[in-house]
Amino acid sequence: VSLKLDIEQGILVHINQIKISGNTKTRDKIIRRQMKLTEGHLYSATGMKQSKAKIRHLGFFDEVNVNSAKGPDEGHMDVDVKVKEKPTGTFSVGAGYSSVDGIIGQTSVQQNNFLGKGYTTNIQADIGKITQNFSVGMTDPYFLGKNISASVNAFKTETNLTLVQSSYLPYSYNNVGAGVNFGIPLSEHLTYGIGYQYSSNNIFNVQPYSSILIQAEAGVTTIGELTQSLTWDTRDN
């Protein structure tokens, strides 16, 4: 057989308006910045599919629908983005018993969409008779409106081994520090990370019968640490 294909190119269709609905908590710009299509750009079926995947990847919604709609004229179309919010916070409480610390309490709070701005925040505390750990952190995935993530964290640990009657290393110890990290995307799936952390370690309340090593290390020591990383991530929702 012989086949003859007659193709007549239609007019180019541009995006007129992107309408977002269903987001009762999440701000519009958090959704809009995930869109591969923007107002004024040519329509792209691939862009529509990628936009839906990126919005779902936020983890803030139970349902995400991205559909085309009739525009004001033949050369323009609208895009309707409809989402259904879901809870994004977690709270946990626990308790345990240790032969050294006795009763230990644990609690943590995490919110992955703080203030509806896409911030991730977390607070954690572990409290026992001998050791107490506290930490707090926050991450902004679009720092200063740029496609760069920034996170800050702070922590504190206190340990008092003088309360352990059978301890051969009787002393008190605390560690206080904070850090900052940045994530810079190099491609769709590759991210370069760089961070700095500063901490102050203090060994004090050393008893006279402690080991010579502990007595020699008594006092304050500060540590500055620079870290770098490369992360390849192709996960979907």
Side-chain angles (χ1 to χ4, degrees), residues 6-219:
D6 291 326
I7 299 174
E8 180 180 350
Q9 182 174 341
I11 62 174
L12 297 177
V13 179
H14 291 76
I15 304 299
N16 174 58
Q17 187 177 12
I18 298 176
K19 302 176 182 179
I20 300 173
S21 61
N23 51 319
T24 56
K25 176 183 177 181
T26 306
R27 303 195 179 191
D28 276 16
K29 70 175 185 179
I30 306 303
I31 300 173
R32 194 174 295 273
R33 69 192 183 192
Q34 301 299 313
M35 296 291 295
K36 286 293 186 178
L37 300 174
T38 57
E39 281 125 350
H41 281 194
L42 283 171
Y43 168 79
S44 168
T46 301
M48 295 274 283
K49 182 178 179 181
Q50 291 177 343
S51 297
K52 181 177 180 179
K54 286 181 68 66
I55 295 172
R56 288 183 62 89
H57 190 63
L58 288 172
F60 303 160
F61 310 108
D62 273 329
E63 297 179 11
V64 176
N65 292 295
V66 180
N67 300 307
S68 59
K70 186 177 180 180
D73 54 57
E74 196 176 9
H76 293 84
M77 62 176 292
D78 292 338
V79 175
D80 287 336
V81 180
K82 297 181 180 180
V83 298
K84 182 180 178 181
E85 301 262 16
K86 71 176 183 180
T88 56
T90 59
F91 172 72
S92 64
V93 175
Y97 180 81
S98 164
S99 59
V100 176
D101 272 288
I103 296 177
I104 303 172
Q106 300 173 326
T107 183
S108 67
V109 179
Q110 180 168 320
Q111 174 56 254
N112 294 329
N113 190 15
F114 185 59
L115 301 178
K117 295 183 176 181
Y119 301 153
T120 297
T121 58
N122 62 81
I123 301 174
Q124 183 171 342
D126 302 327
I127 301 175
K129 178 181 178 181
I130 306 300
T131 302
Q132 296 86 42
N133 296 310
F134 307 92
S135 65
V136 59
M138 182 174 181
T139 300
D140 181 358
Y142 278 78
F143 183 58
L144 298 179
K146 307 295 183 181
N147 190 19
I148 297 175
S149 67
S151 62
V152 294
N153 69 290
F155 57 88
K156 181 179 182 180
T157 299
E158 296 181 352
T159 302
N160 187 359
L161 293 176
T162 61
L163 299 177
V164 183
Q165 295 181 354
S166 60
S167 175
Y168 295 101
L169 301 172
Y171 64 92
S172 297
Y173 166 84
N174 65 39
N175 181 21
V176 180
V180 59
N181 292 273
F182 296 94
I184 304 170
L186 302 180
S187 68
E188 183 72 20
H189 303 296
L190 184 64
T191 301
Y192 168 70
I194 184 168
Y196 178 79
Q197 181 171 286
Y198 176 86
S199 62
S200 175
N201 308 315
N202 185 17
I203 296 178
F204 62 100
N205 198 21
V206 179
Q207 301 301 306
Y209 56 91
S210 294
S211 68
I212 298 177
L213 179 61
I214 293 298
Q215 295 184 34
E217 292 183 349

